[in-house]
Amino acid sequence: MAFIKRLGWYLVGVSIGLVFLAFILKNKSGEEGIDFCYLPNCRVLKDFKSKPITYSNKAEEQMATMQLDSLFFSNAFTDGDVDFGKSDTNAQPCKIYFVNFKEKEIELKNCETGVVIENITGKK
């Protein structure tokens, strides 16, 4: 079989495979709002979003000073970056994490029952 024929059949097979793959991935993540979280950063942020959030007194004062609201934290837990170098993931009973988002660093405790935001540092 000539090279051009083999190449043609190969491209037909790849095209069919890509169509099936696009169909499957669209159905898997489409209307249900399911996202693929396989990386550590995404998995930790998804865990934060699944628990109730409370604020320490210090964090509430900082939120008022920096004019932040709960929407900021919702966005931070979607698009933020977890600093695993600073975080203490072995702390007991609550793990301590640092999340960087929009020139701010959020220190929080991730407990079994919920997330407690402890400190917010950064520019106004």
Side-chain angles (χ1 to χ4, degrees):
M1 190 183 296
F3 175 74
I4 299 297
K5 271 189 168 180
R6 283 187 287 162
L7 181 63
W9 284 112
Y10 172 78
L11 292 176
V12 167
V14 167
S15 301
I16 292 170
L18 288 175
V19 168
F20 281 121
L21 183 64
F23 179 74
I24 290 169
L25 291 178
K26 180 181 176 191
N27 284 343
K28 193 163 189 161
S29 67
E31 297 84 28
E32 297 97 27
I34 299 171
D35 54 351
F36 297 102
C37 275
Y38 297 114
L39 298 176
N41 188 65
C42 185
R43 292 176 70 182
V44 170
L45 293 176
K46 187 174 181 179
D47 185 40
F48 296 159
K49 289 187 287 189
S50 69
K51 296 178 181 178
I53 299 171
T54 57
Y55 307 96
S56 69
N57 292 335
K58 183 177 180 181
E60 287 180 352
E61 292 172 6
Q62 292 168 335
M63 285 172 61
T65 304
M66 296 180 190
Q67 299 176 344
L68 302 175
D69 58 1
S70 60
L71 183 61
F72 172 81
F73 295 104
S74 176
N75 291 335
F77 295 159
T78 302
D79 299 325
D81 293 319
V82 178
D83 187 351
F84 288 102
K86 277 179 103 174
S87 300
D88 185 6
T89 58
N90 296 321
Q92 292 294 330
C94 301
K95 299 175 181 179
I96 299 170
Y97 288 98
F98 291 87
V99 178
N100 297 315
F101 181 69
K102 289 192 177 179
E103 298 181 3
K104 294 189 179 18
E105 183 177 73
I106 306 163
E107 177 186 356
L108 51 92
K109 290 184 179 178
N110 186 12
C111 303
E112 290 290 324
T113 58
V115 175
V116 180
I117 296 176
E118 293 288 330
N119 190 16
I120 307 159
T121 56
K123 299 178 184 178
K124 274 191 175 181

